[in-house]
Amino acid sequence: MDLNILWFILITVLFMGFFFLEGFDYGVGILLPFLGGNDTERRVIINTIGPVWDGNEVWLITAGGAAFAAFPNWYATLFSGFYLALFIILTGLIVRGVAFEFRSSDRNPVWRNLWDAMICAGSFISALLWGVALTNLLQGVPINDRMQYVGTFFDLLSPYTLAGGLTTLLVFTLHGALFISLKTEGELAQRAGSLAGKLGVLALPVFLLLILLTYVHTDLFGKSGAAAVLLGAAGCLALTWLLLRSGKNGWAFAVNGLTIVLFTVSIFWGLFPRVMVSSLRPEWSLTIYNASSSPYTLQVMTAVALVMVPVVLLYQGWTYWVFRRRVTVKDLHY
């Protein structure tokens, strides 16, 4: 198999895993100040992701490392052109991670409320900007013939990319609400399920708007497979809402996760064989060939991936199995 194609697929899979897992992490963080009526409930909510949130972020680190090693020109253009946007995302992730650790170091309500707000803000910013970044890759950004980004931060903001950001924000928040409803019990779980239903009503029309704008502003619909996957993601989102109305929250969580996966696949499918689209001239776009490392580098990376990826999957699967139970007040240590 063409190793350039193989590594494009592997990076796509890494982002699929990241958005599926970190999606409910972001959602839980966003909803923390709103679903948690008191400090005890907020502690329960935090503990639903406490054992796994930092492991979920490893998928992003691995995806970034894979892009750096397999497609260094893509990595260089992406991280220089999207520097401020990615810096804001990174700041949100750092603030969120620090808040998880610092929150419990003092029982003062003001202190804890401050860090709860930081968890919410960090999750909100990251969930929003990931959608902006993905849709920019597909829509195209100003890249010249030397693979250099020649725009500004504000060139990344448009009605289409903001619709993409709002879509990921709502879908991830819905994912988090469903996760809380499955990982807690009693009144808290019921409130989370009820809120998930309302979020589904908001997310579906925004997603449909994004599809319309994708048709207008990108060439994704010129690739029949990518368009079918994107429409399938919208269908899964609609099914998620129907399952919620039937009280099948577990199935709703799984199907909403499939929405995230299919949306990610559609973006990368729409890009292929490009990795970044130039809005200046199509021939200046970065592809899996003009942005790649040497064949030998790809061969070595493939050998390492065949050994390490199964280990990582088994370890993370084991982690989720160990912490599979619902979190209750009895599990809190005072």
Side-chain angles (χ1 to χ4, degrees):
M1 184 179 182
D2 187 324
L3 292 183
N4 299 71
I5 297 176
L6 175 63
W7 275 97
F8 181 85
I9 293 172
L10 288 176
I11 290 172
T12 302
V13 170
L14 288 169
F15 274 107
M16 286 162 48
F18 172 69
F19 289 131
F20 178 90
L21 297 172
E22 195 70 4
F24 65 74
D25 271 5
Y26 289 149
V28 170
I30 291 167
L31 295 174
L32 176 63
F34 307 103
L35 272 180
N38 52 54
D39 183 65
T40 299
E41 287 187 344
R42 292 183 182 185
R43 290 178 65 192
V44 169
I45 291 172
I46 290 173
N47 282 1
T48 62
I49 59 172
V52 297
W53 70 266
D54 49 353
N56 292 342
E57 292 183 354
V58 171
W59 288 75
L60 174 61
I61 297 170
T62 307
F68 172 75
F71 305 108
N73 291 323
W74 177 25
Y75 182 93
T77 304
L78 178 67
F79 277 76
S80 59
F82 288 28
Y83 182 84
L84 182 56
L86 293 174
F87 178 79
I88 294 172
I89 290 176
L90 180 61
T91 301
L93 293 176
I94 292 172
V95 167
R96 199 174 70 117
V98 169
F100 282 129
E101 301 297 333
F102 280 15
R103 183 189 189 277
S104 297
S105 63
D106 194 322
R107 293 181 180 273
N108 188 314
V110 175
W111 173 267
R112 293 194 169 187
N113 289 339
L114 169 65
W115 292 112
D116 288 344
M118 292 297 100
I119 293 172
C120 177
S123 302
F124 179 94
I125 291 170
S126 299
L128 177 70
L129 290 184
W130 274 121
V132 172
L134 286 175
T135 45
N136 264 298
L137 290 178
L138 191 60
Q139 176 182 243
V141 293
I143 299 173
N144 65 17
D145 59 337
R146 293 182 292 175
M147 299 185 183
Q148 294 177 342
Y149 179 83
V150 291
T152 67
F153 171 76
F154 295 102
D155 290 322
L156 303 177
L157 303 178
S158 69
Y160 174 58
T161 59
L162 291 174
L166 187 58
T167 297
T168 53
L169 174 65
L170 289 172
V171 173
F172 289 168
T173 307
L174 169 59
H175 208 39
L178 287 167
F179 185 76
I180 294 171
S181 74
L182 296 175
K183 289 290 290 181
T184 60
E185 60 181 21
E187 183 184 351
L188 179 57
Q190 292 174 2
R191 292 204 310 270
S194 176
L195 181 57
K198 297 174 183 177
L199 289 167
V201 173
L202 290 174
L204 185 57
V206 172
F207 199 105
L208 294 175
L209 173 62
L210 178 65
I211 292 176
L212 176 61
L213 293 175
T214 299
Y215 178 79
V216 173
H217 292 284
T218 76
D219 61 359
L220 183 143
F221 276 79
K223 301 181 179 182
S224 58
V229 173
L230 182 60
L231 293 172
C236 287
L237 185 56
L239 181 57
T240 298
W241 181 73
L242 292 174
L243 289 168
L244 272 168
R245 293 196 63 184
S246 303
K248 299 177 180 178
N249 289 19
W251 280 107
F253 176 78
V255 174
N256 191 65
L258 185 57
T259 300
I260 295 171
V261 168
L262 292 179
F263 173 68
T264 307
V265 170
S266 71
I267 295 292
F268 282 89
W269 195 330
L271 277 171
F272 183 82
R274 304 161 300 183
V275 289
M276 287 187 79
V277 177
S278 172
S279 60
L280 301 179
R281 294 181 66 175
E283 59 268 28
W284 292 346
S285 298
L286 277 68
T287 71
I288 60 173
Y289 297 106
N290 65 17
S292 73
S293 293
S294 67
Y296 179 72
T297 300
L298 295 179
Q299 290 171 12
V300 172
M301 288 175 57
T302 302
V304 173
L306 288 174
V307 175
M308 297 305 300
V309 170
V311 173
V312 173
L313 292 175
L314 287 171
Y315 170 78
Q316 192 151 34
W318 174 79
T319 303
Y320 275 93
W321 174 256
V322 170
F323 295 102
R324 65 188 181 278
R325 293 191 309 110
R326 290 178 182 263
V327 180
T328 67
V329 175
K330 296 178 182 178
D331 298 314
L332 301 180
H333 300 286
Y334 291 92

